[in-house]
Every structure is written in C-alpha cells, then in structure tokens.
Amino acid sequence: MVQLAQTYPDKVTLVNGGPTYEGRPVNYLRVSTTNFQDLSKPVVFIMSLLHSREWIGQAATLYALDKLLINNTESDLINDIDWIIMPTANPDGYIFSHDSDRFWRKNRRFGSSCMGVDLNRNYDINWGTESSDSPCSETYHGTEPFSEPETVVHKKIFEEHQDRVLVFLDIHSFGSYVLYGYGNGELPPNGEALSSAAISIGDAIDAAKLPNNPNYTVGNLAQTLYPASGGSQDYALSVGVPYAYCLELPAFRGSTSITGFLVDPEFVEQAGYETWEGIKAGARFALNSNRMRKGIP
Ligand SMILES: [Zn+2]
C-alpha cells in the first residue's frame, strides 16, 4: 500500500484511519484521478478481513488495486469513480491469525474470560438483536454499538463521504454468496434495485468462476444464510449507501467445515479475477442507475 501511494502519487493516497485496539494503524487507500476533490463522483468502498481468518478476501481487494492502478485496462472505472480500498479491516485479528490461531475471527479486545469482539456484529444497526452477549461467543457484539476502535474507523469513512458512497462491498469467506440487508429479513426501500445489482454481481462472478466451484447464491442475509444484527452492510444501508453487500467467497476446495477458510494457492489469483468481475458489474450497475435517477445520459 505504501509502494502504491509512492508510485502513483497523483492517484493514490494512503490514509491511516486510526489505531486498532492494540495500536496498529487501520490503513486504507483512496484511489482517485481527482484527489477526492470532485464531489460529484460516486465512491465505491471495498474492505476485506473484517473477520481475520477469511484470508482469501484480501486477494480480491489487492487484485482490485492491481486492476485500478497497475494493470488498468478499463479507464472508466478510475475516471468515473473514487475508490476507498481497505484490504485489512481487522489488523489485530489478522496478525493473530498468522501468529497464533489460523481460525481467529474477532478482533483482539481483552476480556477476562475470552478475547475479542465480532466486529461484524458491532455496528450500530439493530445492535444486539441477532448476536451474542457472551464474550466467549464467535458472534459477541461487544459492550455497546461501536465499542471497538476498528468499527469506529469504518464508521468515520461513511461519515466523511456521506451521500457519495454509492457501493459498499465487505468481502468475506466462505460459501459463494452475495448477501444484502437487512439482517433481520426486512428490506430497505430500494430493495428491488439492491437485489438487481446483487444479481448482476453474482452473474458476473458465475461467468468467470472455476467450473468446480458452485454458482453464487444471491439474496437477503436473513432469508438466505442466517439472521445477523450489527453487520457492516446493514450499517451502510442505514446511513444511506444504496448498494451495500457482503460477499462470501468460495470455500477452500469445496470444504463445508472450518477448513473452508484455508486458502488454496491455486485459487488466489482466480479469486481476485472473478471477484473483480463482480465488483465491476456492481459498480457499473450502480453508476448507470444513479445516472438515470439524476437524468444524466
Ligand atoms: Zn466473515
């Protein structure tokens, strides 16, 4: 990320969004041909590794950076859109998943009985209704909404670019899903458009995916996978982001157990490639519908 900011100073700014619980920077890149100064441009915000063990998601964000900056063949994407890309949304958990426990999911908030808060249950949207109040649970929601420094960093990004974030993608694994809110099964007022864009994302990935992997399933989080509260895509919807999704990338070699989080070296580049196809489809769908709504040809 530092190298990209140094190599493309006219397009890339490295931002330290603030410290994690353990004091690491939550870094992200702003990618823009107009240095984020053209407020008429929509913003696409992509993050990964909110759940630290879901390593394959990072391949997708890094691949997106490659296609936007190093090997860009579709200039509309960088000319028409400002991008915020955060490859590691939960740095403390990610380091811990490397050093100590490969299957660590939460952040590293100290607890006398158990460590960590599930950051994807900690956002201030229906908080605490479909999550756990037990610190030892994998879905522990924390002591209050936005109790965790990492989710506060994400919240500030939405606040800073209010009304400009058109698409939000939180990339997880695993299970091959495009999911949208709300996590209690209710749909937002733009549910139909939200669903249509999700289908375009899923179709684009399916057209590029490996034959052995299943097609993506597209749907509302609660109706398709399970109910969940306090999630990032729900929070994004609640603050006015029209197109907010959780992507679940494919499992490791079709596994249905915890080993699904492992990374197949042969799949790393492919994961980036096929997810990028989905990201592009979603961004263009949103861009076009936004233009139509504003009456721009
Ligand atoms: Zn996850």
Side-chain angles (χ1 to χ4, degrees):
M1 291 168 79
V2 170
Q3 273 180 4
L4 284 174
Q6 286 170 347
T7 309
Y8 303 96
D10 53 329
K11 293 188 188 129
V12 182
T13 308
L14 175 64
V15 183
N16 173 0
T20 63
Y21 179 76
E22 293 182 332
R24 295 184 178 87
V26 180
N27 285 327
Y28 60 91
L29 294 180
R30 282 187 194 147
V31 178
S32 170
T33 54
T34 46
N35 196 28
F36 266 74
Q37 298 302 305
D38 181 350
L39 301 184
S40 70
K41 280 189 189 180
V43 171
V44 174
F45 177 10
I46 305 174
M47 72 184 197
S48 54
L49 287 179
L50 187 62
H51 289 145
S52 39
R53 64 191 174 190
E54 299 167 9
W55 289 3
I56 193 65
Q58 201 184 44
T61 46
L62 298 181
Y63 192 96
L65 284 169
D66 180 85
K67 296 305 279 184
L68 284 172
L69 294 165
I70 303 165
N71 292 300
N72 186 318
T73 52
E74 297 165 275
S75 58
D76 63 310
L77 295 166
I78 189 166
N79 289 333
D80 298 348
I81 296 169
D82 282 352
W83 298 78
I84 292 173
I85 301 189
M86 180 186 284
T88 310
N90 172 14
D92 295 347
Y94 184 50
I95 296 289
F96 192 73
S97 74
H98 270 269
D99 294 351
S100 301
D101 178 352
R102 174 65 185 83
F103 296 112
W104 190 257
R105 166 183 168 101
K106 301 186 282 183
N107 75 348
R108 291 297 297 163
R109 159 79 60 184
F110 176 80
S112 53
S113 52
C114 292
M115 302 284 279
V117 168
D118 182 355
L119 298 177
N120 209 24
R121 301 292 184 278
N122 187 242
Y123 297 85
D124 189 8
I125 174 69
N126 300 323
W127 181 85
T129 55
E130 293 287 352
S131 52
S132 176
D133 59 5
S134 163
C136 295
S137 165
E138 289 280 48
T139 58
Y140 174 50
H141 50 226
T143 52
E144 60 183 335
F146 290 123
S147 58
E148 303 311 296
E150 296 86 0
T151 50
V152 171
V153 170
H154 313 150
K155 169 180 183 257
K156 282 182 186 159
I157 293 173
F158 289 112
E159 286 170 353
E160 193 177 347
H161 306 286
Q162 198 151 25
D163 303 329
R164 281 184 70 202
V165 184
L166 181 66
V167 180
F168 171 67
L169 295 171
D170 186 10
I171 301 179
H172 291 246
S173 78
F174 57 89
S176 304
Y177 290 101
V178 183
L179 301 167
Y180 49 85
Y182 286 96
N184 61 3
E186 289 174 15
L187 292 178
N190 72 327
E192 207 173 320
L194 185 67
S195 165
S196 298
I199 290 167
S200 77
I201 294 170
D203 284 350
I205 298 175
D206 287 347
K209 74 173 183 63
L210 296 176
N212 290 343
N213 277 341
N215 283 327
Y216 267 59
T217 303
V218 178
N220 170 269
L221 171 58
Q223 295 167 21
T224 308
L225 190 57
Y226 44 59
S229 57
S232 65
Q233 79 289 324
D234 277 17
Y235 180 72
L237 283 180
S238 76
V239 296
V241 177
Y243 300 97
Y245 303 98
C246 169
L247 295 189
E248 297 280 358
L249 269 46
F252 173 78
R253 298 185 184 176
S255 170
T256 54
S257 72
I258 195 163
T259 59
F261 294 115
L262 296 177
V263 173
D264 187 342
E266 290 177 16
F267 184 60
V268 172
E269 186 172 0
Q270 169 68 24
Y273 159 66
E274 66 184 43
T275 308
W276 178 239
E277 293 301 305
I279 293 168
K280 286 191 294 184
R284 288 192 171 123
F285 182 103
L287 211 52
N288 288 338
S289 61
N290 204 37
R291 281 180 177 142
M292 282 194 285
R293 204 182 44 177
K294 291 181 176 172
I296 302 166

